[in-house]
Amino acid sequence: MDVENHSLVTEFILLGIPHTQGLEIMLFLLFLPFYACTLLGNLSILVAVIASTQLHTPMYFFLGNLAVFDMSFSSVTCPKMLLYLVGLSRLISYQNCVTQLFFFHFLGSIECFLYTVMAYDRFAAICYPLRYTIIMNSRICVALAVGTWLLGCIHSSVLTSLTFTLPYCGSNEVNHFFCDIPALLPLACADTSLAHKVSFTNVGIVSLICFLLIIVSYTRITVSILRIRTTEGRRRAFSTCSAHLIAILCASVPIITVYLQPTPNPMLGTVVQILMNLVGPMLNPLIYTLRNKEVKTALRKLLHRTGEADG
């Protein structure tokens, strides 16, 4: 297609969730509580981690980072989706589309890196308990956290640059509920094979490396747990790790389903991404609080102090 004969796209139209015409209000009423619970649940964990001195440990430092991620990740796509579900404009400017895609992959990759760092933290705590405070001192924890954000920025910058260096000069209708690579590339009026290959490889390599590092960490952790002589000791160690493993499983399946399929199914991808944007970030607070006595105790104390202050 001759780009010079077509005006460049300056805004996109988000077509939304396929096959849901006439169900917008029902979907709004369904999705709004999920988004509200995501914000409330993760904010509660973040406040508990900051306010409770008992939670000023590496494990909860990274859990606080995860809470920030979950609130931010949902907020990249959900507010715009909720607005057009109640009848407001489906238009999104070119610049806002770039921003949305960048932050979606920026925060999505941070989740992958953060789960890997959390697996390393559990590995250090269980396999080297006597040296744990040295291995995971405050400087190392901050360096690991900053590293996840920097790696996420590099990863997302590559994907965003590849996607938006392509010219968009034909249709501006994005067959999705937000700006993402699989939905945007079919609209480009140039060869998209490089962008397809790099995005597939980039997401695949990041996911694979993180997954392998997590597997190695938990293999070592399992061996160490089985060496614990007391049943109570083994139970506590498995309890500490099980919430993290459940959260990793909830995060990994959507990535594989959406980005690592040679021929992705658009409808399946949309459903999975709704779960990834709305349900996943809401589940993390439930997973970590329901299976963690220290977090539940900190939240109860925080609510008690708040009640006394109001009284």
Side-chain angles (χ1 to χ4, degrees):
M1 185 180 291
D2 189 356
V3 176
E4 294 180 358
N5 293 333
H6 295 79
S7 58
L8 293 177
V9 169
T10 58
E11 59 185 14
F12 294 96
I13 301 171
L14 299 173
L15 297 183
I17 304 165
H19 313 299
T20 58
Q21 287 77 13
L23 302 174
E24 286 82 3
I25 297 300
M26 187 180 75
L27 290 174
F28 173 82
L29 295 174
L30 176 65
F31 294 158
L32 181 61
F34 279 96
Y35 182 53
C37 288
T38 295
L39 297 181
L40 182 61
N42 284 288
L43 184 61
S44 298
I45 285 185
L46 183 60
V47 171
V49 169
I50 293 171
S52 175
T53 54
Q54 290 181 326
L55 302 184
H56 290 177
T57 64
M59 175 180 171
Y60 296 108
F61 171 73
F62 293 121
L63 183 57
N65 274 264
L66 185 63
V68 172
F69 153 78
D70 281 330
M71 288 188 289
S72 304
F73 186 67
S74 282
S75 298
V76 170
T77 58
C78 292
K80 179 66 178 177
M81 178 178 67
L82 292 171
L83 287 174
Y84 66 64
L85 284 175
V86 292
L88 298 179
S89 177
R90 293 175 179 265
L91 289 175
I92 182 169
S93 69
Y94 185 92
Q95 292 78 11
N96 287 343
C97 191
V98 174
T99 302
Q100 192 178 57
L101 186 143
F102 173 83
F103 279 103
F104 179 79
H105 286 279
F106 171 56
L107 293 164
S109 58
I110 286 174
E111 179 184 41
C112 205
F113 298 133
L114 194 54
Y115 281 136
T116 308
V117 169
M118 291 172 78
Y120 174 70
D121 172 67
R122 291 300 83 210
F123 160 74
I126 292 171
C127 298
Y128 301 99
L130 299 178
R131 296 171 52 198
Y132 177 63
T133 54
I134 299 172
I135 296 172
M136 297 299 292
N137 62 55
S138 57
R139 288 177 58 188
I140 290 175
C141 288
V142 171
L144 287 171
V146 171
T148 63
W149 294 84
L150 288 176
L151 286 172
C153 185
I154 294 168
H155 171 79
S156 184
S157 296
V158 170
L159 295 181
T160 306
S161 299
L162 277 171
T163 303
F164 286 101
T165 49
L166 294 168
Y168 292 88
C169 50
S171 171
N172 67 339
E173 295 184 340
V174 180
N175 190 26
H176 204 27
F177 65 95
F178 70 99
C179 292
D180 195 15
I181 297 169
L184 285 169
L185 289 184
L187 305 180
C189 42
D191 182 17
T192 62
S193 58
L194 177 63
H196 272 294
K197 289 175 183 176
V198 173
S199 61
F200 184 90
T201 305
N202 203 337
V203 173
I205 289 175
V206 167
S207 304
L208 182 61
I209 290 174
C210 290
F211 183 72
L212 289 176
L213 289 173
I214 290 169
I215 290 295
V216 170
S217 294
Y218 272 98
T219 301
R220 293 288 305 275
I221 287 169
T222 302
V223 172
S224 294
I225 289 175
L226 293 175
R227 288 175 180 168
I228 297 174
R229 294 182 179 180
T230 64
T231 305
E232 177 62 19
R234 287 196 296 269
R235 189 196 64 78
R236 288 185 63 186
F238 273 120
S239 178
T240 302
C241 298
S242 59
H244 186 219
L245 287 172
I246 294 168
I248 290 170
L249 185 62
C250 292
S252 301
V253 172
I255 294 172
I256 294 168
T257 304
V258 175
Y259 295 102
L260 302 183
Q261 291 185 88
T263 54
N265 183 316
M267 186 60 192
L268 176 62
T270 301
V271 172
V272 170
Q273 285 199 324
I274 289 171
L275 294 174
M276 186 166 63
N277 281 268
L278 280 167
V279 181
M282 185 196 71
L283 285 179
N284 274 338
L286 294 175
I287 290 168
Y288 282 101
T289 53
L290 290 177
R291 300 187 63 86
N292 193 301
K293 291 181 181 179
E294 290 177 314
V295 174
K296 286 190 284 188
T297 301
L299 285 172
R300 278 197 294 267
K301 288 181 178 178
L302 186 63
L303 291 172
H304 181 67
R305 288 203 300 265
T306 305
E308 287 182 342
D310 291 340

